[in-house]
Amino acid sequence: MTVMPKPLNVEVAEFLNKFDFSACVACGTCSNGCPVTATPGMEEWDIRKVMRMLAYGMVDEVVDSDFPWLCTGCGRCAYSCPMDVDIPAVMAHMKSLRDRDKVPGSLHKGMQNNVDTGNNLAIAREEYLEGMLDLGNDLAEECPGFYVPVDKQDAKILFFPNSKEVYGDFEDQFWWWKVFYAAREDWTVPSEGWEAVDWALFTGNYAANKFLAKRKIDYMHKFNIERMIMPDCGGGSYGCRKGMDTCVLEDPNNEVGFTYLYEYLVGIIRDGRIRLDKSVNAGRRFTWHDSCKHGRELERHFGKGYYDEPRWIIRQCVDDFADMTPNRGLNYCCGAGGGMWPAPFDDQSAWHGRRKFDQIKRTGADVVVVGCSNCRDQIMKRLPKYYTDYKYEVKYIWQLVAETLVLEPWEAELVDKAAALADAQWKAFGVDLSAGEY
């Protein structure tokens, strides 16, 4: 049967013309590496077929399907493509063409909440600040002098919390806080616009992606912050980097300092700012999951992926480390990316992660270490519901560091100084210092 190409909308044609579809040799390399291939409910679809559909102008058929939303944006297709076609960028654009009221699940609502209120869950500023006070007081029982610095002028490090931790997984924030405490870091968090996660990237919303990045840039300029730690979530960090690049292209004055969590942890360990005791992890085997957006996609688009750094950090904490195979740029996606963790596609997402479970099992590891909150939730919460014949723990890499720390209490003079600063801060924000538990 002869297929006649369809005419394309001018704007869509302009975008697709950036990619040389005629270079595609239909070899199937992309489909072989793609986690979506043979997904339940879409067994007849694969990325090679979708690319040919787009080449023939069948954009509406692709946009109206679930396929772009099942794409995790892992980049394994582009990494292996012999003709170097940036397929994840094409799938992201297909998402952008979907009517916003037809975006699956809560992704668009969460993104709009972030734009309107400063976080995905629309947590009120007063509630957020009271939580930072109460949780900081809880950690101060173990770490005398600790408090959460908010809007600190001229801080060296800016850190963005994740709304799911602010809302529910409260004590997951303690891991980074302990690291900052042990390193005696000069750090801060924002009072507003503090969300780490960027669901604009997941929904193909270019304008919102730039807006969220510009909000971070403006905050850094306002408070004269030296560096921000890129958010841990693959979408958060990659989305922020994409948005920031757009802002800098428009105005070079938008350039700000940043570091990735791996660079930061390597730096404070090598500089002796924290001490670690491997013995606390004796008797257990650890493995590392290469996040797609921290690895091959970051490497592909920005020239640097984080492969060696996390492995070095882990080896400072443990004696028994076993790598997954394949790993690094060829590593399999866990199935959480592209918004698949919060999206309403549990069965499909678990299918995507089947190879990841098999990789973990083959290492014989007791603990899987991750550097992304979406990867962590997927590997810890979703995959074990579907694949039950092997048990393991999941830890953030900064959690592993925090649990391996040799915590040295601050001197009394420093504790008193911190207490005075904390008291002044919370009073300035109008936070009731006698407020109840968060």
Side-chain angles (χ1 to χ4, degrees):
M1 182 178 70
T2 302
V3 178
M4 296 299 296
K6 294 183 177 182
L8 288 175
N9 170 282
V10 175
E11 290 184 1
V12 175
E14 183 179 336
F15 175 84
L16 292 180
N17 282 340
K18 298 176 184 177
F19 306 89
D20 187 0
F21 279 71
S22 64
C24 175
V25 293
C27 65
T29 299
C30 55
S31 296
N32 287 336
C34 175
V36 187
T37 301
T39 294
M42 297 198 74
E43 290 87 352
E44 295 181 3
W45 290 68
D46 61 51
I47 190 61
R48 175 171 59 173
K49 178 178 178 178
V50 169
M51 294 299 283
R52 299 320 297 160
M53 289 172 68
L54 293 176
Y56 282 104
M58 299 172 69
V59 173
D60 291 343
E61 289 84 346
V62 173
V63 170
D64 291 340
S65 75
D66 283 339
F67 193 92
W69 303 96
L70 298 182
C71 170
T72 66
C74 74
R76 210 168 187 271
C77 52
Y79 188 86
S80 302
C81 176
M83 308 311 291
D84 201 33
V85 179
D86 191 357
I87 299 171
V90 176
M91 289 300 98
H93 196 69
M94 295 302 105
K95 288 182 176 183
S96 77
L97 300 177
R98 176 76 72 93
D99 291 341
R100 297 296 90 182
D101 61 351
K102 295 179 181 177
V103 171
S106 62
L107 289 174
H108 177 65
K109 180 181 179 182
M111 185 281 301
Q112 196 61 53
N113 279 341
N114 194 0
V115 169
D116 295 340
T117 74
N119 65 90
N120 288 351
L121 298 176
I123 298 169
R125 183 173 185 264
E126 180 181 355
E127 183 182 353
Y128 165 75
L129 291 173
E130 288 178 354
M132 291 293 138
L133 166 63
D134 291 338
L135 286 169
N137 287 341
D138 288 346
L139 185 58
E141 295 178 10
E142 181 183 356
C143 302
F146 179 84
Y147 76 102
V148 180
V150 182
D151 291 350
K152 185 177 181 182
Q153 191 73 33
D154 302 323
K156 292 188 180 301
I157 290 292
L158 173 61
F159 185 79
F160 291 96
N162 186 316
S163 56
K164 73 182 182 66
E165 296 168 351
V166 173
Y167 178 75
D169 299 335
F170 307 127
E171 294 184 358
D172 282 353
Q173 297 177 89
F174 285 179
W175 310 123
W176 268 117
W177 293 356
K178 284 185 176 181
V179 170
F180 292 149
Y181 179 85
R184 304 191 178 201
E185 188 58 80
D186 179 8
W187 67 290
T188 193
V189 297
S191 62
E192 297 178 295
W194 46 261
E195 176 66 73
V197 177
D198 180 2
W199 283 1
L201 180 75
F202 296 158
T203 57
N205 192 319
Y206 302 125
N209 174 247
K210 185 176 77 170
F211 172 85
L212 296 175
K214 185 63 164 57
R215 189 166 66 190
K216 290 179 171 65
I217 291 168
D218 290 345
Y219 180 91
M220 292 189 68
H221 285 158
K222 178 180 179 181
F223 289 95
N224 193 36
I225 309 294
E226 186 174 304
R227 293 184 300 165
M228 61 173 281
I229 294 180
M230 281 286 180
D232 69 84
C233 160
S237 60
Y238 187 79
C240 183
R241 187 76 180 272
K242 293 281 282 187
M244 287 172 66
D245 265 26
T246 301
C247 293
V248 171
L249 283 173
E250 292 181 355
D251 181 356
N253 292 318
N254 285 323
E255 188 82 50
V256 293
F258 61 84
T259 186
Y260 280 84
L261 65 97
Y262 310 107
E263 295 169 328
Y264 177 78
L265 292 173
V266 167
I268 61 173
I269 294 171
R270 281 188 169 160
D271 291 346
R273 294 176 61 189
I274 61 174
R275 292 198 300 121
L276 304 171
D277 178 11
K278 285 185 179 183
S279 68
V280 301
N281 298 311
R284 290 182 295 172
R285 173 169 291 181
F286 293 75
T287 190
W288 168 250
H289 163 66
D290 287 294
S291 165
C292 305
K293 283 290 190 275
H294 291 179
R296 61 175 157 257
E297 278 290 273
L298 201 60
E299 180 180 30
R300 176 177 171 79
H301 290 280
F302 297 102
K304 168 64 179 175
Y306 291 93
Y307 301 124
D308 296 327
E309 293 87 349
R311 288 169 171 82
W312 183 87
I313 294 165
I314 293 169
R315 288 191 170 100
Q316 309 315 300
C317 297
V318 310
D319 286 316
D320 191 353
F321 174 80
D323 232 334
M324 297 186 200
T325 52
N327 55 54
R328 300 174 183 255
L330 288 172
N331 186 48
Y332 287 119
C333 178
C334 69
M340 283 293 283
W341 167 248
F345 299 113
D346 282 21
D347 290 348
Q348 295 91 332
S349 179
W351 168 263
H352 296 357
R354 69 197 185 281
R355 292 193 178 104
K356 177 54 54 186
F357 179 83
D358 183 59
Q359 281 187 289
I360 295 168
K361 185 177 177 180
R362 285 188 280 112
T363 65
D366 303 292
V367 182
V368 181
V369 184
V370 300
C372 166
S373 55
N374 283 336
C375 297
R376 181 253 202 172
D377 286 348
Q378 171 83 348
I379 296 171
M380 183 173 76
K381 299 176 182 179
R382 182 174 282 154
L383 294 187
K385 292 180 181 179
Y386 287 80
Y387 310 104
T388 60
D389 62 329
Y390 188 76
K391 305 296 181 184
Y392 53 81
E393 290 183 74
V394 183
K395 295 181 185 290
Y396 289 125
I397 192 168
W398 54 93
Q399 176 184 354
L400 176 62
V401 171
E403 291 178 340
T404 313
L405 279 172
V406 178
L407 272 176
E408 298 174 344
W410 291 356
E411 299 83 359
E413 181 181 348
L414 189 56
V415 171
D416 291 342
K417 180 180 178 182
L421 289 171
D423 187 65
Q425 170 183 282
W426 298 124
K427 285 180 178 178
F429 280 121
V431 178
D432 183 0
L433 298 179
S434 63
E437 292 186 3
Y438 188 37

